[in-house]
Amino acid sequence: MQDVLGMRDDAFVPTRRQPPTVRMRRLAAELLRLRRAAGLSQEDVAERTDVNVATLYRIETGKTKPQLRTLNALLDAYGVPRPDRDELTALQKDAGKRGLLNVPDSDLPEQYTIYINFEAEAREILNFETIFIPGLLQTSDYARAVISGVLQTATDDDVQLRVDARMQRQHLLTKEDGPRLWAVIDEAALHRLVGGPSVMQAQLCHLADQARNPRITIQVVPFSAGAHPGMPGSFIILRFDPIDPDIVYIDSMGGDLFLEQEAELIRHSMAFEHLRAVALSPADTAALLRSLCEDHH
């Protein structure tokens, strides 16, 4: 997966729809909780306000930011007191605040834009990869080779845009308040000759260097581990502040998925814990990466 969201050939249509943010998800979850606490159905709310059911659904699922007058109408219907109203109004005001990537939204696929905004607000990124080096740990040459190989009909400009975006995203790991990255990589990804010997050698040496970063933990699942829970495919778990639920992202040929159901979060969290347990320790992984770097020399 290696976070190539929207990298299918049909993803080049630009979009200007505002992507959801963590704050928007938080506001949506709180409005859903308040409606249920008031004992109201969506139809009840539609009868009491000028907010139709379709709009309410989009608000409660974080697909759209409510206008201030809409928010006030909902809070009136739910009988929300002043202190709580002030907090929710402030959340509505900030709901559109975005992540840190300085690439115009219209130039990137919608799913990629959604992901990079979530990623920029995460406090921890848990990434398991089967056949790629994780995107946040790729060199520019490796990233270019991967994107070119996956998107065979992409133009040079399309490829360069995605390479630039990926390199910018890596700045998150240098920020003092940026997320921590825990990457678990199947050993197969270390032996796939992406971009040729020199590109792969530079990539392996880069991984060895990154393994020394205190904000990054890297583990390799060795071939000797046999079958493991990650074999069905790669996935990323984004963890936020305790009040915001986690998100699981899965990229596949069938489409891009953002999973938020509790059962899915538990299943993928358990799989990641198992993968960490069967993988080489961070110290042994670092030694392996140094050895592979030297071997490629």
Side-chain angles (χ1 to χ4, degrees):
M1 179 181 67
Q2 55 89 51
D3 68 0
V4 286
L5 298 101
M7 283 188 55
R8 298 184 308 281
D9 290 348
D10 61 352
F12 288 92
V13 179
T15 177
R16 292 185 181 276
R17 192 180 77 171
Q18 182 183 37
T21 65
V22 171
R23 295 174 185 84
M24 195 180 295
R25 290 176 71 231
R26 187 185 306 167
L27 178 61
E30 186 61 15
L31 289 175
L32 175 61
R33 185 191 68 78
L34 288 169
R35 176 175 63 78
R36 289 175 173 172
L40 300 175
S41 67
Q42 291 182 334
E43 290 74 16
D44 294 333
V45 175
E47 291 178 2
R48 298 186 183 195
T49 69
D50 61 353
V51 183
N52 61 49
V53 172
T55 299
L56 184 59
Y57 169 80
R58 292 183 63 79
I59 290 172
E60 291 184 346
T61 55
K63 290 181 169 60
T64 190
K65 172 185 172 182
Q67 296 182 359
L68 183 57
R69 68 172 182 272
T70 300
L71 177 63
N72 286 330
L74 295 176
L75 298 183
D76 287 342
Y78 304 156
V80 179
R82 173 55 57 188
D84 293 336
R85 293 176 73 105
D86 292 342
E87 182 178 342
L88 291 169
T89 299
L91 193 57
Q92 183 269 350
K93 181 179 179 181
D94 293 339
K97 286 188 176 179
R98 310 292 299 282
L100 305 177
L101 193 68
N102 297 316
V103 176
D105 292 345
S106 59
D107 293 335
L108 291 170
E110 180 181 19
Q111 292 295 84
Y112 199 3
T113 303
I114 291 173
Y115 179 80
I116 61 180
N117 278 277
F118 284 151
E119 181 184 67
E121 298 185 70
R123 63 176 174 83
E124 187 175 23
I125 302 168
L126 308 179
N127 189 179
F128 170 69
E129 293 296 342
T130 55
I131 56 175
F132 295 107
I133 303 302
L136 289 175
L137 299 175
Q138 292 178 5
T139 66
S140 59
D141 288 338
Y142 181 96
R144 182 173 292 102
V146 166
I147 295 169
S148 298
V150 174
L151 289 182
Q152 296 183 343
T153 62
T155 66
D156 290 343
D157 288 343
D158 292 327
V159 172
Q160 189 60 50
L161 175 67
R162 285 157 178 75
V163 172
D164 291 344
R166 189 160 305 167
M167 295 303 103
Q168 287 189 48
R169 286 173 42 226
Q170 294 181 4
H171 294 164
L172 287 173
L173 300 178
T174 66
K175 291 177 60 63
E176 188 173 328
D177 59 346
R180 289 186 53 84
L181 171 64
W182 197 306
V184 179
I185 310 169
D186 193 286
E187 187 177 355
L190 306 182
H191 297 285
R192 182 172 295 278
L193 203 60
V194 174
S198 61
V199 170
M200 199 63 203
Q201 183 259 327
Q203 176 63 72
L204 291 170
C205 293
H206 178 68
L207 267 185
D209 290 339
Q210 292 294 84
R212 294 197 290 265
N213 187 329
R215 301 189 63 83
I216 299 172
T217 302
I218 304 175
Q219 289 182 267
V220 168
V221 179
F223 290 136
S224 60
H228 58 72
M231 293 180 73
S234 305
F235 59 91
I236 297 174
I237 302 174
L238 299 177
R239 290 181 173 167
F240 305 95
D241 292 328
I243 60 175
D244 297 312
D246 298 346
I247 295 175
V248 173
Y249 171 73
I250 296 177
D251 180 20
S252 71
M253 292 294 288
D256 306 321
L257 299 176
F258 290 95
L259 306 178
E260 303 179 68
Q261 296 297 319
E262 184 177 5
E264 294 289 353
L265 296 174
I266 292 174
R267 184 164 68 90
H268 285 85
S269 293
M270 289 180 63
F272 197 83
E273 291 302 319
H274 185 97
L275 289 164
R276 285 200 279 208
V278 300
L280 299 176
S281 69
D284 288 343
T285 294
L288 172 63
L289 294 174
R290 288 193 299 269
S291 175
L292 289 173
C293 171
E294 294 169 359
D295 287 347
H296 274 265
H297 272 298

